[in-house]
Amino acid sequence: MAARRSRIPATKYPVERFTLDNGLRVVLTPDRSAPVIGVAVVYDVGIRSEPEGRTGFAHLFEHLMFQGSENLEKLAHFRHVQGAGGTFNGSTHLDYTDYFETLPSNALERALFLEADRMRGPRLTEENLRNQVDVVKEEIRVNVLNRPYGGFPWLTLPPVMFDTFPNAHDGYGSFDDLESATVADAADFFRRYYASGNAVLAVSGDIDVAEATELVTRHFGDVPARPAPQRPDFTEPDLSAERRTSYTDALAPLPAVAGAWRVPDPVTDFAGYLPYVVLAEVLTDGDASRLVERLVQRDRTVTSLGGYLGFMGDPFDVRDPTALLLQAHLPPGGDVDKVLRTVDEELDRLATDGLTDGELARTQARMATHLLRDTDAVLGRALRMAVLEQQRGEPGLLNELPRLVGEVTEEQVRAAAATLRPERRAAIEVIPGGAR
């Protein structure tokens, strides 16, 4: 069947790009429809970049960036953003760390000052470090150690699939590594990774481009220039034989299983990668999807099912190596082997028989709707454009994503399904220890 043009429209958000003398890349996308702005600063450092012996450091440093800065005391960032009627946060990913605010448009200069001030230097004191180590340890207790299925599968599956430290280690961090971190370690991490040449600033919403350019230059232009560090090598060969393991979760009431297959490089082979993004949705998105209909509704061998690209569910902001993941929770006494066999059967059936009438178009329409909704808000737009600039030098790709998803063909989806063989799969089983 010949490739068809999608009926899904592209968005037309304007994009202005420039680079300051200190290496900071800037993306501006004006939208005067509401008096609101989104500001995002993305640093090219994430979980995969943290050194051995410092697991969890990327996330710990995200916390430290909120503990005061060169000219501002602790909690001042919070007070200035909230005092202007705004909201803020930050998050750590495999390949980047972001910091962001949503504010009324008349607070643009305030947001730029705040972000530039901590780009010059956060307050790295022994008190702040020890306090935030305790905060991160408590997060680990709440989100992983004392929660059923904690860390499943984003922490538990990578060490099954991968062999190298960057890809396989626990990104939340071990208590020993966190407790042994020093202020000198934090300062070195800042000097290396929080360089102006390793960052992207994006501003979206109610801005005048000329005025915003002048304000960005005023506040960020004198941040000391430091070049981006050499990115570590994350490459690993694909699996040549199935890898599978299990562990007992003392708090889990029911069995669970997750499986993953490597996919093409999301950046250098985007055209080869996109069919896998669509395939994951064909398999798991909604009650009419392949695996939900078979495993949940018909066979009743699982109680819930999900599928996505990237260990943190981030298909358009992750580098290679990454994977297509499927995860399921089973009823009491559920048969994990049977579930995996059924998944293999459905993948074979899809690769051999193709899709039903309307199946692909329905899936693509839902995906496009989600993409359009996620970037409708100015902050979602700023965050997505910042990462696209950082990883691809192409922030305007945001406008094309819904259309590109819609142009994936049935033949491409079938070919992608045919590569998801058992011998290329890594799988992990959760054995319930909390059934009583």
Side-chain angles (χ1 to χ4, degrees):
M1 181 188 300
R4 59 177 177 79
R5 277 196 67 80
S6 166
R7 298 178 187 173
I8 297 170
T11 52
K12 297 179 180 179
Y13 297 122
V15 180
E16 300 284 344
R17 304 166 66 214
F18 60 94
T19 302
L20 298 182
D21 291 342
N22 58 17
L24 176 68
R25 287 179 280 168
V26 181
V27 179
L28 304 178
T29 174
D31 176 359
R32 311 307 293 269
S33 60
V36 179
I37 56 167
V39 177
V41 179
V42 174
Y43 294 88
D44 198 346
V45 57
I47 289 168
R48 285 202 268 215
S49 296
E50 56 196 17
E52 292 193 52
R54 287 292 173 261
T55 60
F57 209 91
H59 178 225
L60 171 63
F61 203 87
E62 177 215 320
H63 282 250
L64 289 173
M65 286 285 279
F66 285 97
Q67 301 308 302
S69 55
E70 186 173 79
N71 293 295
L72 294 171
E73 72 278 12
K74 191 172 183 176
L75 301 181
H77 191 110
F78 301 43
R79 187 174 68 253
H80 285 300
V81 174
Q82 292 173 334
T87 60
F88 66 93
N89 212 330
S91 59
T92 309
H93 302 252
L94 289 178
D95 294 308
Y96 66 92
T97 306
D98 57 23
Y99 303 88
F100 47 87
E101 294 88 17
T102 301
L103 288 156
S105 54
N106 61 5
L108 171 61
E109 185 167 14
R110 179 180 299 209
L112 296 177
F113 166 78
L114 293 171
E115 291 296 352
D117 203 56
R118 61 179 169 186
M119 184 179 286
R120 288 188 194 89
R123 293 203 175 195
L124 302 177
T125 66
E126 183 69 21
E127 178 187 1
N128 284 343
L129 177 62
R130 299 275 70 88
N131 175 269
Q132 293 310 302
V133 164
D134 288 343
V135 171
V136 172
K137 286 168 60 180
E138 185 61 20
E139 274 195 35
I140 295 171
R141 292 186 186 99
V142 170
N143 294 331
V144 179
L145 301 179
N146 296 323
R147 171 179 290 186
Y149 313 103
F152 170 79
W154 76 278
L155 292 179
T156 55
L157 190 51
V160 183
M161 172 164 269
F162 299 118
D163 297 318
T164 65
F165 174 81
N167 297 314
H169 75 276
D170 181 345
Y172 238 142
S174 76
F175 282 14
D176 287 344
D177 284 357
L178 291 167
E179 289 168 351
S180 64
T182 67
V183 173
D185 292 330
D188 181 67
F189 194 83
F190 176 77
R191 283 191 300 268
R192 179 184 298 269
Y193 293 111
Y194 278 70
S196 53
N198 207 38
V200 174
L201 164 69
V203 183
S204 174
D206 184 22
I207 57 171
D208 174 82
V209 170
E211 179 188 8
T213 300
E214 190 277 326
L215 289 173
V216 167
T217 304
R218 181 192 307 171
H219 288 284
F220 287 89
D222 65 349
V223 173
R226 299 198 310 279
Q230 175 140 8
R231 191 177 304 116
D233 183 6
F234 302 143
T235 58
E236 287 201 32
D238 196 359
L239 299 184
S240 57
E242 183 179 20
R243 294 183 180 182
R244 187 169 163 188
T245 190
S246 63
Y247 69 98
T248 299
D249 183 336
L251 300 177
L254 298 170
V257 65
W261 299 259
R262 288 279 297 276
V263 296
D265 188 316
V267 176
T268 64
D269 186 15
F270 192 52
Y273 174 76
L274 272 178
Y276 291 85
V277 182
V278 177
L279 172 61
E281 301 299 312
V282 167
L283 293 173
T284 64
D285 184 28
D287 291 343
S289 62
R290 290 289 177 116
L291 293 180
V292 173
E293 192 279 330
R294 172 76 188 273
L295 291 166
V296 178
Q297 297 177 356
R298 193 194 326 166
D299 295 355
R300 298 189 178 183
T301 51
V302 308
T303 57
S304 65
L305 181 76
Y308 45 94
L309 269 291
F311 288 89
M312 301 178 77
D314 43 10
F316 300 119
D317 54 6
V318 67
R319 292 191 174 104
D320 189 67
T322 190
L324 184 154
L325 279 77
L326 299 174
Q327 67 180 83
H329 291 79
L330 283 65
D335 187 337
V336 166
D337 290 326
K338 183 177 181 181
V339 170
L340 292 176
R341 284 196 305 270
T342 305
V343 168
D344 293 335
E345 289 174 12
E346 289 299 313
L347 289 168
D348 287 342
R349 187 164 71 89
L350 178 56
T352 303
D353 300 337
L355 291 91
T356 61
D357 287 345
E359 185 177 9
L360 180 58
R362 179 182 69 243
T363 301
Q364 290 168 318
R366 288 172 66 122
M367 294 177 70
T369 299
H370 292 314
L371 285 168
L372 294 168
R373 181 194 63 198
D374 291 346
T375 56
D376 183 57
V378 291
L379 180 59
R381 209 174 308 155
L383 283 166
R384 177 63 54 80
M385 284 196 178
V387 177
L388 290 173
E389 167 63 38
Q390 182 188 83
Q391 297 183 351
R392 304 165 184 271
E394 196 178 356
L397 182 62
L398 175 142
N399 286 319
E400 303 298 321
L401 284 176
R403 179 182 59 79
L404 291 171
V405 163
E407 290 180 348
V408 171
T409 66
E410 178 179 346
E411 288 72 20
Q412 290 174 313
V413 174
R414 291 175 64 176
T419 69
L420 304 190
R421 308 300 306 160
E423 61 269 17
R424 295 185 60 243
R425 178 172 60 213
I428 190 160
E429 176 185 355
V430 178
I431 299 170
R436 296 182 182 179

